Amino acid sequence: EYWEVFMKKKDLVMALMVVIIWGVNFTVIRLGLNGVPSMLLAALRYTFVLPALFFVKRPKIDMKYAIAYGLSVGVGQFSCLFYAMQIGMPAGLSSITLQSAAFMTPLLAFLFLHESIKPKQIIGLFIAAIGLAFIASNAGSITAVPLPALLLTLSAAFFWALSNIVLKFASNKAEALGEKIDMLGVVVWTSLVPPIPLYIFSFILDGPDVMLKTVTSLSAISIFSIFYLAFGATIFGYGTWSVLLGKYPASKIAPLSLMVPVTGLLSSQIILKEQLSTSQWTGGFIILLGLIFSTLDIKSLIKFNKV
């Protein structure tokens, strides 16, 4: 009843498609890494987004914010995430651990924007910390996650949270001028920033010979992964999400994103046959509980169900 009153069926289907695409995204990254080194895969992802520049209007955002966003998301978040998965972070756990950005964002907003932190956000953060402890405590088992991989995934979450703060600064400035930032435009046009740094990282880590050999002998799975990451997860995902945010309140759309780690776990189990230990499953479940507790507006849902 809630969704029937609140959202048109067509829009709900589109929203669920985005959530599924973003969740499966982690499995696709893992498949891509089987044939392409992490930094090169991230660079190719953004390179294939660039043709969209001809079809998407340039957003009204200061150059400094555009560069900061491109560096924090494209270089910071995805270089850390892709490399973490390359050295042993499971796709399913990546989809959950990356959601730590939801807890880091309010903390950074408090430090840089002087925004207040809600008690439920603090409680949610502590709940998530317990979940991460369960995942980290699995050291020594066959399915152990390497500590550097876990720390890199948390670093990816930090850069994601940092990019949210950059966007908030840009949004505040735009609002002061009576303007509104187009999120799809931001995603597409800031894709100009990450490729060169990522190609340089690949040159340093992999060497020119490996880069050339990889690009000239891409498998069908590698090509599919690059196109999926560029057009599915980036252009279609952010494009559709920005349209939905323009039609409905953000507080009502946001809870749907809680399904991303769920679809991430399911796809990694079905496609990759990932085997997680009991402590990893427990840790992932606890993190999801913390995320739900800190972000879901239960009172709003109950109120809307009475409409």
Side-chain angles (χ1 to χ4, degrees):
E1 181 182 351
Y2 169 74
W3 291 114
E4 288 180 357
V5 173
F6 163 65
M7 181 180 282
K8 294 179 181 179
K9 289 183 179 180
K10 179 182 177 181
D11 291 335
L12 177 58
V13 170
M14 296 299 287
L16 292 177
M17 284 180 62
V18 173
V19 167
I20 292 171
I21 287 173
W22 280 347
V24 177
N25 178 57
F26 294 89
T27 292
V28 173
I29 292 171
R30 177 63 270 168
L31 292 173
L33 289 172
N34 290 336
V36 184
S38 57
M39 297 301 117
L40 184 56
L41 181 62
L44 290 172
R45 170 224 177 109
Y46 277 101
T47 300
F48 277 78
V49 171
L50 296 182
L53 291 171
F54 296 103
F55 306 98
V56 178
K57 185 179 179 181
R58 182 176 177 178
K60 295 180 180 179
I61 181 173
D62 279 3
M63 183 67 70
K64 62 181 179 182
Y65 295 128
I67 294 175
Y69 182 80
L71 289 175
S72 56
V73 170
V75 181
Q77 179 187 349
F78 288 113
S79 65
C80 288
L81 176 63
F82 282 33
Y83 192 69
M85 293 180 68
Q86 178 176 301
I87 64 175
M89 189 69 182
L93 285 182
S94 296
S95 69
I96 295 177
T97 306
L98 193 64
Q99 304 306 314
S100 299
F103 309 109
M104 298 178 185
T105 299
L107 295 177
L108 292 177
F110 172 76
L111 292 174
F112 295 106
L113 298 169
H114 307 294
E115 293 184 0
S116 60
I117 301 178
K118 298 178 181 179
K120 69 174 185 177
Q121 292 173 325
I122 297 176
I123 296 173
L125 174 61
F126 279 107
I127 294 174
I130 294 173
L132 288 171
F134 268 90
I135 294 174
S137 68
N138 201 50
S141 72
I142 296 177
T143 57
V145 175
L147 183 59
L150 179 59
L151 293 177
L152 277 170
T153 308
L154 288 173
S155 297
F158 170 79
F159 281 113
W160 184 11
L162 187 62
S163 73
N164 291 334
I165 302 303
V166 172
L167 276 182
K168 186 63 176 178
F169 271 112
S171 179
N172 289 344
K173 184 165 185 179
E175 288 178 5
L177 298 173
E179 300 172 347
K180 187 177 181 181
I181 295 178
D182 172 28
M183 187 59 202
L184 176 60
V186 171
V187 170
V188 171
W189 280 85
T190 58
S191 294
L192 286 165
V193 178
I196 292 179
L198 290 171
Y199 280 124
I200 292 174
F201 289 165
S202 181
F203 185 88
I204 295 172
L205 291 174
D206 310 312
D209 293 339
V210 171
M211 292 175 67
L212 181 61
K213 182 178 179 181
T214 300
V215 172
T216 55
S217 59
L218 289 173
S219 66
I221 290 294
S222 297
I223 295 173
F224 166 77
S225 299
I226 295 168
F227 273 80
Y228 185 100
L229 295 173
F231 298 102
T234 304
I235 297 176
F236 173 78
Y238 280 103
T240 303
W241 201 252
S242 62
V243 169
L244 292 173
L245 285 173
K247 295 176 68 173
Y248 303 102
S251 61
K252 301 302 186 297
I253 294 293
L256 281 171
S257 65
L258 294 172
M259 293 177 61
V260 170
V262 176
T263 55
L265 273 175
L266 289 175
S267 64
S268 67
Q269 290 288 307
I270 296 171
I271 300 174
L272 301 176
K273 310 297 182 184
E274 283 189 350
Q275 298 297 318
L276 302 182
S277 68
T278 301
S279 64
Q280 289 173 339
W281 274 111
T282 303
F285 181 70
I286 292 174
I287 292 174
L288 282 176
L289 283 180
L291 184 63
I292 292 171
F293 185 86
S294 64
T295 61
L296 198 59
D297 190 348
I298 302 297
K299 291 182 180 179
S300 177
L301 291 178
I302 294 174
K303 181 179 178 181
F304 214 95
N305 265 320
K306 293 179 179 178
V307 174

